[in-house]
Amino acid sequence: MVLIVSKNENLFEELFNCLYSENKIIRMRAADAIQKIIELEPSIVKKYKNEILHKISKIDQQEVCWHVAQLIPHLGLTKAETIIAFKFLNDYLSDKSKIVRTFSLLAVTDLSDINSSLKPEVIKIIKQQMRKGNPAILSRGKKLLIKLESKEKT
């Protein structure tokens, strides 16, 4: 199904609109499918970028949040848009879900690749999350810090 929808913009639009469903299971399944489709066909999401940044990112459901965080690298954000994404991802870092926090750490690191002015704040955030996080966040944080530090040297 993912492959079929990735090749058909009309089907993708129908799937995308499922993110607004009142049924949380439909929202969760739609977010998961969209994330998988975007990995196959990243360009399909470009026209939904503003909607993701301004509406979808405000959906308060952990399964949607962690998929939104995973979509960030595929949106083709401008530097100005990275600030918008950074703000809601920073909010996601307070989520009770470890998965949401972990994917948000990855996403803010990706944002610093687009907008290098975010890098000092991202490093600070990663270190804060590592101090209060679980073993998964600690492990991921170490890897992200190594990645950020290696990019500073090049």
Side-chain angles (χ1 to χ4, degrees), residues 98-147:
K98 296 170 190 168
I99 299 170
V100 172
R101 292 195 314 267
T102 301
F103 283 124
S104 296
L105 277 180
L106 291 166
V108 295
T109 303
D110 289 337
L111 291 178
S112 72
D113 289 341
I114 301 165
N115 186 344
S116 61
S117 69
L118 295 173
K119 194 171 290 189
E121 185 66 19
V122 169
I123 290 170
K124 181 179 158 186
I125 287 169
I126 293 170
K127 289 179 178 178
Q128 286 172 342
Q129 290 292 315
M130 288 172 66
R131 278 194 294 277
K132 63 182 181 178
N134 61 20
I137 293 209
L138 184 63
S139 173
R140 180 67 63 182
K142 286 178 184 177
K143 290 174 185 173
L144 293 174
L145 288 174
I146 290 168
K147 175 184 171 185

mmCIF file of all heavy atoms in Angstrom, residues 98-147:
data_model
loop_
_atom_site.group_PDB
_atom_site.id
_atom_site.type_symbol
_atom_site.label_atom_id
_atom_site.label_comp_id
_atom_site.label_asym_id
_atom_site.label_seq_id
_atom_site.Cartn_x
_atom_site.Cartn_y
_atom_site.Cartn_z
ATOM 1 N N LYS A 98 9.200 8.668 25.690
ATOM 2 C CA LYS A 98 10.634 8.591 25.402
ATOM 3 C C LYS A 98 10.882 8.577 23.894
ATOM 4 O O LYS A 98 11.886 9.103 23.418
ATOM 5 C CB LYS A 98 11.227 7.337 26.034
ATOM 6 C CG LYS A 98 11.168 7.338 27.544
ATOM 7 C CD LYS A 98 11.545 5.988 28.106
ATOM 8 C CE LYS A 98 11.231 5.964 29.594
ATOM 9 N NZ LYS A 98 11.313 4.613 30.154
ATOM 10 N N ILE A 99 9.964 7.971 23.165
ATOM 11 C CA ILE A 99 10.107 7.903 21.706
ATOM 12 C C ILE A 99 9.994 9.298 21.098
ATOM 13 O O ILE A 99 10.789 9.680 20.234
ATOM 14 C CB ILE A 99 9.076 6.944 21.090
ATOM 15 C CG1 ILE A 99 9.287 5.529 21.634
ATOM 16 C CG2 ILE A 99 9.155 6.945 19.566
ATOM 17 C CD1 ILE A 99 8.191 4.554 21.276
ATOM 18 N N VAL A 100 9.018 10.085 21.562
ATOM 19 C CA VAL A 100 8.863 11.457 21.065
ATOM 20 C C VAL A 100 10.129 12.256 21.367
ATOM 21 O O VAL A 100 10.647 12.965 20.498
ATOM 22 C CB VAL A 100 7.625 12.148 21.680
ATOM 23 C CG1 VAL A 100 7.584 13.626 21.326
ATOM 24 C CG2 VAL A 100 6.342 11.456 21.228
ATOM 25 N N ARG A 101 10.637 12.127 22.571
ATOM 26 C CA ARG A 101 11.848 12.879 22.951
ATOM 27 C C ARG A 101 13.055 12.444 22.111
ATOM 28 O O ARG A 101 13.837 13.285 21.654
ATOM 29 C CB ARG A 101 12.126 12.725 24.449
ATOM 30 C CG ARG A 101 11.082 13.420 25.305
ATOM 31 C CD ARG A 101 11.506 13.592 26.758
ATOM 32 N NE ARG A 101 12.081 12.425 27.382
ATOM 33 C CZ ARG A 101 11.418 11.513 28.091
ATOM 34 N NH1 ARG A 101 10.114 11.637 28.254
ATOM 35 N NH2 ARG A 101 12.042 10.500 28.641
ATOM 36 N N THR A 102 13.206 11.155 21.895
ATOM 37 C CA THR A 102 14.345 10.658 21.126
ATOM 38 C C THR A 102 14.297 11.144 19.677
ATOM 39 O O THR A 102 15.290 11.659 19.149
ATOM 40 C CB THR A 102 14.398 9.112 21.168
ATOM 41 O OG1 THR A 102 14.515 8.697 22.531
ATOM 42 C CG2 THR A 102 15.575 8.572 20.374
ATOM 43 N N PHE A 103 13.137 11.010 19.032
ATOM 44 C CA PHE A 103 13.036 11.473 17.638
ATOM 45 C C PHE A 103 13.155 12.994 17.546
ATOM 46 O O PHE A 103 13.651 13.522 16.545
ATOM 47 C CB PHE A 103 11.747 10.975 16.987
ATOM 48 C CG PHE A 103 11.807 9.533 16.576
ATOM 49 C CD1 PHE A 103 10.872 8.630 17.036
ATOM 50 C CD2 PHE A 103 12.805 9.072 15.734
ATOM 51 C CE1 PHE A 103 10.923 7.295 16.671
ATOM 52 C CE2 PHE A 103 12.878 7.733 15.353
ATOM 53 C CZ PHE A 103 11.938 6.851 15.832
ATOM 54 N N SER A 104 12.730 13.700 18.579
ATOM 55 C CA SER A 104 12.865 15.157 18.585
ATOM 56 C C SER A 104 14.331 15.567 18.700
ATOM 57 O O SER A 104 14.750 16.541 18.065
ATOM 58 C CB SER A 104 12.041 15.764 19.716
ATOM 59 O OG SER A 104 10.674 15.510 19.481
ATOM 60 N N LEU A 105 15.112 14.830 19.487
ATOM 61 C CA LEU A 105 16.551 15.106 19.558
ATOM 62 C C LEU A 105 17.203 14.929 18.188
ATOM 63 O O LEU A 105 18.031 15.752 17.774
ATOM 64 C CB LEU A 105 17.233 14.173 20.552
ATOM 65 C CG LEU A 105 17.191 14.550 22.019
ATOM 66 C CD1 LEU A 105 17.928 13.509 22.854
ATOM 67 C CD2 LEU A 105 17.758 15.924 22.269
ATOM 68 N N LEU A 106 16.831 13.868 17.509
ATOM 69 C CA LEU A 106 17.355 13.645 16.157
ATOM 70 C C LEU A 106 16.966 14.790 15.228
ATOM 71 O O LEU A 106 17.780 15.283 14.454
ATOM 72 C CB LEU A 106 16.826 12.322 15.594
ATOM 73 C CG LEU A 106 17.353 11.054 16.237
ATOM 74 C CD1 LEU A 106 16.507 9.857 15.818
ATOM 75 C CD2 LEU A 106 18.794 10.835 15.853
ATOM 76 N N ALA A 107 15.718 15.207 15.329
ATOM 77 C CA ALA A 107 15.216 16.258 14.436
ATOM 78 C C ALA A 107 15.886 17.604 14.700
ATOM 79 O O ALA A 107 16.230 18.301 13.745
ATOM 80 C CB ALA A 107 13.696 16.381 14.569
ATOM 81 N N VAL A 108 16.067 17.987 15.965
ATOM 82 C CA VAL A 108 16.722 19.281 16.219
ATOM 83 C C VAL A 108 18.171 19.244 15.751
ATOM 84 O O VAL A 108 18.706 20.258 15.284
ATOM 85 C CB VAL A 108 16.604 19.776 17.690
ATOM 86 C CG1 VAL A 108 15.172 20.066 18.062
ATOM 87 C CG2 VAL A 108 17.279 18.851 18.667
ATOM 88 N N THR A 109 18.794 18.075 15.829
ATOM 89 C CA THR A 109 20.157 17.935 15.302
ATOM 90 C C THR A 109 20.147 18.136 13.794
ATOM 91 O O THR A 109 21.006 18.833 13.248
ATOM 92 C CB THR A 109 20.751 16.561 15.684
ATOM 93 O OG1 THR A 109 20.723 16.428 17.108
ATOM 94 C CG2 THR A 109 22.175 16.418 15.188
ATOM 95 N N ASP A 110 19.165 17.547 13.113
ATOM 96 C CA ASP A 110 19.036 17.754 11.668
ATOM 97 C C ASP A 110 18.803 19.225 11.329
ATOM 98 O O ASP A 110 19.319 19.723 10.334
ATOM 99 C CB ASP A 110 17.887 16.913 11.103
ATOM 100 C CG ASP A 110 18.197 15.426 11.086
ATOM 101 O OD1 ASP A 110 19.392 15.051 11.085
ATOM 102 O OD2 ASP A 110 17.239 14.627 11.084
ATOM 103 N N LEU A 111 18.029 19.904 12.164
ATOM 104 C CA LEU A 111 17.785 21.335 11.924
ATOM 105 C C LEU A 111 19.081 22.138 11.993
ATOM 106 O O LEU A 111 19.251 23.101 11.253
ATOM 107 C CB LEU A 111 16.780 21.892 12.943
ATOM 108 C CG LEU A 111 15.346 21.406 12.821
ATOM 109 C CD1 LEU A 111 14.496 22.006 13.941
ATOM 110 C CD2 LEU A 111 14.746 21.737 11.463
ATOM 111 N N SER A 112 19.976 21.735 12.879
ATOM 112 C CA SER A 112 21.245 22.471 13.000
ATOM 113 C C SER A 112 22.120 22.283 11.762
ATOM 114 O O SER A 112 23.022 23.082 11.521
ATOM 115 C CB SER A 112 21.994 22.071 14.274
ATOM 116 O OG SER A 112 22.539 20.782 14.165
ATOM 117 N N ASP A 113 21.864 21.244 10.964
ATOM 118 C CA ASP A 113 22.567 21.088 9.687
ATOM 119 C C ASP A 113 22.099 22.137 8.681
ATOM 120 O O ASP A 113 22.869 22.589 7.845
ATOM 121 C CB ASP A 113 22.316 19.693 9.088
ATOM 122 C CG ASP A 113 23.010 18.585 9.860
ATOM 123 O OD1 ASP A 113 23.955 18.867 10.619
ATOM 124 O OD2 ASP A 113 22.593 17.419 9.701
ATOM 125 N N ILE A 114 20.827 22.499 8.765
ATOM 126 C CA ILE A 114 20.248 23.495 7.855
ATOM 127 C C ILE A 114 20.555 24.907 8.344
ATOM 128 O O ILE A 114 20.869 25.791 7.565
ATOM 129 C CB ILE A 114 18.717 23.308 7.753
ATOM 130 C CG1 ILE A 114 18.387 21.910 7.235
ATOM 131 C CG2 ILE A 114 18.094 24.382 6.853
ATOM 132 C CD1 ILE A 114 16.928 21.513 7.439
ATOM 133 N N ASN A 115 20.451 25.101 9.643
ATOM 134 C CA ASN A 115 20.633 26.418 10.252
ATOM 135 C C ASN A 115 21.688 26.298 11.343
ATOM 136 O O ASN A 115 21.382 25.954 12.481
ATOM 137 C CB ASN A 115 19.297 26.904 10.828
ATOM 138 C CG ASN A 115 19.357 28.318 11.346
ATOM 139 O OD1 ASN A 115 20.432 28.867 11.560
ATOM 140 N ND2 ASN A 115 18.199 28.907 11.585
ATOM 141 N N SER A 116 22.925 26.567 10.986
ATOM 142 C CA SER A 116 24.047 26.362 11.915
ATOM 143 C C SER A 116 23.967 27.252 13.151
ATOM 144 O O SER A 116 24.584 26.951 14.165
ATOM 145 C CB SER A 116 25.381 26.553 11.194
ATOM 146 O OG SER A 116 25.480 27.871 10.694
ATOM 147 N N SER A 117 23.187 28.329 13.089
ATOM 148 C CA SER A 117 23.054 29.185 14.278
ATOM 149 C C SER A 117 22.330 28.459 15.416
ATOM 150 O O SER A 117 22.414 28.866 16.571
ATOM 151 C CB SER A 117 22.336 30.492 13.938
ATOM 152 O OG SER A 117 20.977 30.246 13.640
ATOM 153 N N LEU A 118 21.635 27.368 15.107
ATOM 154 C CA LEU A 118 20.942 26.578 16.127
ATOM 155 C C LEU A 118 21.873 25.614 16.864
ATOM 156 O O LEU A 118 21.526 25.103 17.918
ATOM 157 C CB LEU A 118 19.805 25.767 15.496
ATOM 158 C CG LEU A 118 18.648 26.551 14.897
ATOM 159 C CD1 LEU A 118 17.701 25.609 14.160
ATOM 160 C CD2 LEU A 118 17.902 27.311 15.981
ATOM 161 N N LYS A 119 23.046 25.377 16.313
ATOM 162 C CA LYS A 119 23.938 24.346 16.842
ATOM 163 C C LYS A 119 24.267 24.513 18.325
ATOM 164 O O LYS A 119 24.156 23.543 19.086
ATOM 165 C CB LYS A 119 25.220 24.261 16.019
ATOM 166 C CG LYS A 119 26.019 23.003 16.311
ATOM 167 C CD LYS A 119 27.166 22.829 15.352
ATOM 168 C CE LYS A 119 26.605 22.501 14.002
ATOM 169 N NZ LYS A 119 27.555 22.105 13.015
ATOM 170 N N PRO A 120 24.646 25.705 18.812
ATOM 171 C CA PRO A 120 24.945 25.818 20.255
ATOM 172 C C PRO A 120 23.740 25.471 21.138
ATOM 173 O O PRO A 120 23.900 24.784 22.162
ATOM 174 C CB PRO A 120 25.340 27.290 20.429
ATOM 175 C CG PRO A 120 25.753 27.748 19.072
ATOM 176 C CD PRO A 120 24.938 26.948 18.100
ATOM 177 N N GLU A 121 22.559 25.887 20.730
ATOM 178 C CA GLU A 121 21.349 25.574 21.502
ATOM 179 C C GLU A 121 21.037 24.079 21.442
ATOM 180 O O GLU A 121 20.623 23.482 22.439
ATOM 181 C CB GLU A 121 20.170 26.398 20.995
ATOM 182 C CG GLU A 121 18.900 26.236 21.792
ATOM 183 C CD GLU A 121 18.983 26.756 23.227
ATOM 184 O OE1 GLU A 121 19.876 27.556 23.538
ATOM 185 O OE2 GLU A 121 18.139 26.338 24.037
ATOM 186 N N VAL A 122 21.254 23.482 20.289
ATOM 187 C CA VAL A 122 21.012 22.044 20.139
ATOM 188 C C VAL A 122 21.956 21.247 21.038
ATOM 189 O O VAL A 122 21.536 20.310 21.715
ATOM 190 C CB VAL A 122 21.136 21.614 18.654
ATOM 191 C CG1 VAL A 122 21.146 20.100 18.522
ATOM 192 C CG2 VAL A 122 20.006 22.219 17.835
ATOM 193 N N ILE A 123 23.213 21.631 21.080
ATOM 194 C CA ILE A 123 24.180 20.948 21.951
ATOM 195 C C ILE A 123 23.750 21.072 23.409
ATOM 196 O O ILE A 123 23.762 20.083 24.160
ATOM 197 C CB ILE A 123 25.605 21.513 21.732
ATOM 198 C CG1 ILE A 123 26.102 21.086 20.344
ATOM 199 C CG2 ILE A 123 26.555 21.051 22.836
ATOM 200 C CD1 ILE A 123 27.386 21.748 19.896
ATOM 201 N N LYS A 124 23.313 22.249 23.795
ATOM 202 C CA LYS A 124 22.829 22.470 25.165
ATOM 203 C C LYS A 124 21.609 21.582 25.465
ATOM 204 O O LYS A 124 21.532 20.949 26.524
ATOM 205 C CB LYS A 124 22.467 23.950 25.329
ATOM 206 C CG LYS A 124 21.974 24.343 26.681
ATOM 207 C CD LYS A 124 21.694 25.846 26.692
ATOM 208 C CE LYS A 124 20.740 26.199 27.782
ATOM 209 N NZ LYS A 124 20.341 27.600 27.746
ATOM 210 N N ILE A 125 20.687 21.525 24.536
ATOM 211 C CA ILE A 125 19.471 20.709 24.703
ATOM 212 C C ILE A 125 19.827 19.227 24.837
ATOM 213 O O ILE A 125 19.291 18.526 25.698
ATOM 214 C CB ILE A 125 18.499 20.936 23.522
ATOM 215 C CG1 ILE A 125 17.836 22.303 23.642
ATOM 216 C CG2 ILE A 125 17.448 19.832 23.442
ATOM 217 C CD1 ILE A 125 17.071 22.737 22.403
ATOM 218 N N ILE A 126 20.715 18.760 23.980
ATOM 219 C CA ILE A 126 21.102 17.354 24.040
ATOM 220 C C ILE A 126 21.710 17.030 25.407
ATOM 221 O O ILE A 126 21.357 16.026 26.033
ATOM 222 C CB ILE A 126 22.075 16.991 22.897
ATOM 223 C CG1 ILE A 126 21.359 17.071 21.544
ATOM 224 C CG2 ILE A 126 22.684 15.604 23.112
ATOM 225 C CD1 ILE A 126 22.281 16.977 20.342
ATOM 226 N N LYS A 127 22.584 17.898 25.879
ATOM 227 C CA LYS A 127 23.210 17.659 27.186
ATOM 228 C C LYS A 127 22.174 17.681 28.309
ATOM 229 O O LYS A 127 22.239 16.858 29.232
ATOM 230 C CB LYS A 127 24.308 18.693 27.441
ATOM 231 C CG LYS A 127 25.525 18.456 26.558
ATOM 232 C CD LYS A 127 26.601 19.498 26.793
ATOM 233 C CE LYS A 127 27.820 19.210 25.925
ATOM 234 N NZ LYS A 127 28.866 20.228 26.082
ATOM 235 N N GLN A 128 21.212 18.585 28.229
ATOM 236 C CA GLN A 128 20.141 18.623 29.243
ATOM 237 C C GLN A 128 19.329 17.331 29.213
ATOM 238 O O GLN A 128 19.016 16.760 30.260
ATOM 239 C CB GLN A 128 19.192 19.805 28.988
ATOM 240 C CG GLN A 128 19.750 21.139 29.345
ATOM 241 C CD GLN A 128 18.840 22.278 28.891
ATOM 242 O OE1 GLN A 128 17.965 22.107 28.035
ATOM 243 N NE2 GLN A 128 19.059 23.458 29.457
ATOM 244 N N GLN A 129 18.962 16.884 28.021
ATOM 245 C CA GLN A 129 18.179 15.657 27.886
ATOM 246 C C GLN A 129 18.962 14.445 28.395
ATOM 247 O O GLN A 129 18.387 13.537 28.994
ATOM 248 C CB GLN A 129 17.749 15.438 26.435
ATOM 249 C CG GLN A 129 16.712 16.415 25.936
ATOM 250 C CD GLN A 129 15.375 16.227 26.624
ATOM 251 O OE1 GLN A 129 14.887 15.125 26.799
ATOM 252 N NE2 GLN A 129 14.762 17.329 27.021
ATOM 253 N N MET A 130 20.258 14.450 28.184
ATOM 254 C CA MET A 130 21.091 13.334 28.651
ATOM 255 C C MET A 130 21.144 13.287 30.178
ATOM 256 O O MET A 130 21.163 12.205 30.754
ATOM 257 C CB MET A 130 22.505 13.447 28.064
ATOM 258 C CG MET A 130 22.569 13.139 26.576
ATOM 259 S SD MET A 130 24.192 13.494 25.868
ATOM 260 C CE MET A 130 25.205 12.280 26.706
ATOM 261 N N ARG A 131 21.159 14.456 30.818
ATOM 262 C CA ARG A 131 21.210 14.498 32.291
ATOM 263 C C ARG A 131 19.961 13.917 32.920
ATOM 264 O O ARG A 131 20.021 13.277 33.957
ATOM 265 C CB ARG A 131 21.422 15.930 32.776
ATOM 266 C CG ARG A 131 22.874 16.377 32.745
ATOM 267 C CD ARG A 131 23.084 17.657 33.534
ATOM 268 N NE ARG A 131 22.416 18.808 32.969
ATOM 269 C CZ ARG A 131 22.894 19.561 31.986
ATOM 270 N NH1 ARG A 131 24.054 19.270 31.444
ATOM 271 N NH2 ARG A 131 22.222 20.595 31.544
ATOM 272 N N LYS A 132 18.819 14.151 32.300
ATOM 273 C CA LYS A 132 17.569 13.697 32.905
ATOM 274 C C LYS A 132 16.925 12.529 32.171
ATOM 275 O O LYS A 132 15.859 12.073 32.541
ATOM 276 C CB LYS A 132 16.581 14.857 33.017
ATOM 277 C CG LYS A 132 16.147 15.448 31.685
ATOM 278 C CD LYS A 132 15.204 16.609 31.884
ATOM 279 C CE LYS A 132 14.766 17.167 30.556
ATOM 280 N NZ LYS A 132 13.836 18.238 30.674
ATOM 281 N N GLY A 133 17.597 12.049 31.136
ATOM 282 C CA GLY A 133 16.992 11.033 30.283
ATOM 283 C C GLY A 133 17.269 9.608 30.713
ATOM 284 O O GLY A 133 18.008 9.333 31.647
ATOM 285 N N ASN A 134 16.676 8.722 29.958
ATOM 286 C CA ASN A 134 16.845 7.287 30.183
ATOM 287 C C ASN A 134 18.066 6.796 29.398
ATOM 288 O O ASN A 134 18.685 7.561 28.665
ATOM 289 C CB ASN A 134 15.568 6.564 29.758
ATOM 290 C CG ASN A 134 15.257 6.758 28.292
ATOM 291 O OD1 ASN A 134 16.114 7.097 27.492
ATOM 292 N ND2 ASN A 134 14.018 6.545 27.929
ATOM 293 N N PRO A 135 18.426 5.520 29.508
ATOM 294 C CA PRO A 135 19.589 5.004 28.790
ATOM 295 C C PRO A 135 19.520 5.204 27.267
ATOM 296 O O PRO A 135 20.552 5.474 26.637
ATOM 297 C CB PRO A 135 19.600 3.516 29.153
ATOM 298 C CG PRO A 135 18.951 3.458 30.502
ATOM 299 C CD PRO A 135 17.885 4.525 30.457
ATOM 300 N N ALA A 136 18.327 5.097 26.683
ATOM 301 C CA ALA A 136 18.199 5.288 25.228
ATOM 302 C C ALA A 136 18.544 6.724 24.835
ATOM 303 O O ALA A 136 19.234 6.952 23.839
ATOM 304 C CB ALA A 136 16.788 4.934 24.770
ATOM 305 N N ILE A 137 18.071 7.678 25.610
ATOM 306 C CA ILE A 137 18.363 9.090 25.312
ATOM 307 C C ILE A 137 19.838 9.377 25.562
ATOM 308 O O ILE A 137 20.470 10.105 24.796
ATOM 309 C CB ILE A 137 17.435 10.016 26.121
ATOM 310 C CG1 ILE A 137 16.016 9.819 25.626
ATOM 311 C CG2 ILE A 137 17.906 11.460 26.083
ATOM 312 C CD1 ILE A 137 15.055 10.936 25.714
ATOM 313 N N LEU A 138 20.389 8.798 26.604
ATOM 314 C CA LEU A 138 21.805 8.982 26.904
ATOM 315 C C LEU A 138 22.666 8.459 25.746
ATOM 316 O O LEU A 138 23.568 9.151 25.268
ATOM 317 C CB LEU A 138 22.153 8.266 28.212
ATOM 318 C CG LEU A 138 23.568 8.434 28.719
ATOM 319 C CD1 LEU A 138 23.857 9.893 29.057
ATOM 320 C CD2 LEU A 138 23.783 7.571 29.953
ATOM 321 N N SER A 139 22.346 7.273 25.266
ATOM 322 C CA SER A 139 23.090 6.672 24.156
ATOM 323 C C SER A 139 22.953 7.501 22.883
ATOM 324 O O SER A 139 23.938 7.804 22.206
ATOM 325 C CB SER A 139 22.583 5.250 23.921
ATOM 326 O OG SER A 139 23.161 4.702 22.780
ATOM 327 N N ARG A 140 21.718 7.877 22.563
ATOM 328 C CA ARG A 140 21.470 8.672 21.358
ATOM 329 C C ARG A 140 22.154 10.037 21.478
ATOM 330 O O ARG A 140 22.748 10.534 20.527
ATOM 331 C CB ARG A 140 19.967 8.840 21.138
ATOM 332 C CG ARG A 140 19.593 9.642 19.924
ATOM 333 C CD ARG A 140 19.941 8.978 18.647
ATOM 334 N NE ARG A 140 19.198 7.744 18.534
ATOM 335 C CZ ARG A 140 19.313 6.893 17.538
ATOM 336 N NH1 ARG A 140 20.116 7.145 16.545
ATOM 337 N NH2 ARG A 140 18.611 5.785 17.512
ATOM 338 N N GLY A 141 22.056 10.643 22.658
ATOM 339 C CA GLY A 141 22.674 11.947 22.881
ATOM 340 C C GLY A 141 24.174 11.922 22.650
ATOM 341 O O GLY A 141 24.740 12.839 22.034
ATOM 342 N N LYS A 142 24.840 10.879 23.138
ATOM 343 C CA LYS A 142 26.297 10.758 22.930
ATOM 344 C C LYS A 142 26.621 10.722 21.439
ATOM 345 O O LYS A 142 27.549 11.392 20.981
ATOM 346 C CB LYS A 142 26.820 9.495 23.608
ATOM 347 C CG LYS A 142 26.901 9.587 25.108
ATOM 348 C CD LYS A 142 27.384 8.271 25.701
ATOM 349 C CE LYS A 142 27.389 8.321 27.215
ATOM 350 N NZ LYS A 142 27.784 7.015 27.809
ATOM 351 N N LYS A 143 25.854 9.943 20.686
ATOM 352 C CA LYS A 143 26.084 9.829 19.244
ATOM 353 C C LYS A 143 25.844 11.164 18.540
ATOM 354 O O LYS A 143 26.588 11.549 17.635
ATOM 355 C CB LYS A 143 25.191 8.748 18.644
ATOM 356 C CG LYS A 143 25.580 7.351 19.063
ATOM 357 C CD LYS A 143 24.598 6.316 18.564
ATOM 358 C CE LYS A 143 24.963 4.943 19.113
ATOM 359 N NZ LYS A 143 23.967 3.935 18.798
ATOM 360 N N LEU A 144 24.792 11.874 18.958
ATOM 361 C CA LEU A 144 24.481 13.158 18.329
ATOM 362 C C LEU A 144 25.553 14.199 18.648
ATOM 363 O O LEU A 144 25.919 14.992 17.772
ATOM 364 C CB LEU A 144 23.101 13.643 18.772
ATOM 365 C CG LEU A 144 21.929 12.789 18.284
ATOM 366 C CD1 LEU A 144 20.618 13.269 18.897
ATOM 367 C CD2 LEU A 144 21.843 12.782 16.772
ATOM 368 N N LEU A 145 26.044 14.205 19.874
ATOM 369 C CA LEU A 145 27.111 15.150 20.231
ATOM 370 C C LEU A 145 28.375 14.875 19.423
ATOM 371 O O LEU A 145 29.032 15.810 18.948
ATOM 372 C CB LEU A 145 27.406 15.092 21.730
ATOM 373 C CG LEU A 145 26.348 15.707 22.635
ATOM 374 C CD1 LEU A 145 26.685 15.460 24.098
ATOM 375 C CD2 LEU A 145 26.171 17.197 22.368
ATOM 376 N N ILE A 146 28.713 13.609 19.247
ATOM 377 C CA ILE A 146 29.882 13.255 18.424
ATOM 378 C C ILE A 146 29.679 13.758 16.998
ATOM 379 O O ILE A 146 30.580 14.343 16.394
ATOM 380 C CB ILE A 146 30.133 11.728 18.455
ATOM 381 C CG1 ILE A 146 30.642 11.321 19.837
ATOM 382 C CG2 ILE A 146 31.108 11.303 17.361
ATOM 383 C CD1 ILE A 146 30.658 9.821 20.093
ATOM 384 N N LYS A 147 28.469 13.564 16.470
ATOM 385 C CA LYS A 147 28.151 14.020 15.112
ATOM 386 C C LYS A 147 28.293 15.539 15.004
ATOM 387 O O LYS A 147 28.918 16.045 14.072
ATOM 388 C CB LYS A 147 26.721 13.602 14.752
ATOM 389 C CG LYS A 147 26.230 14.111 13.424
ATOM 390 C CD LYS A 147 24.774 13.732 13.201
ATOM 391 C CE LYS A 147 24.229 14.441 11.977
ATOM 392 N NZ LYS A 147 22.811 14.198 11.783
#
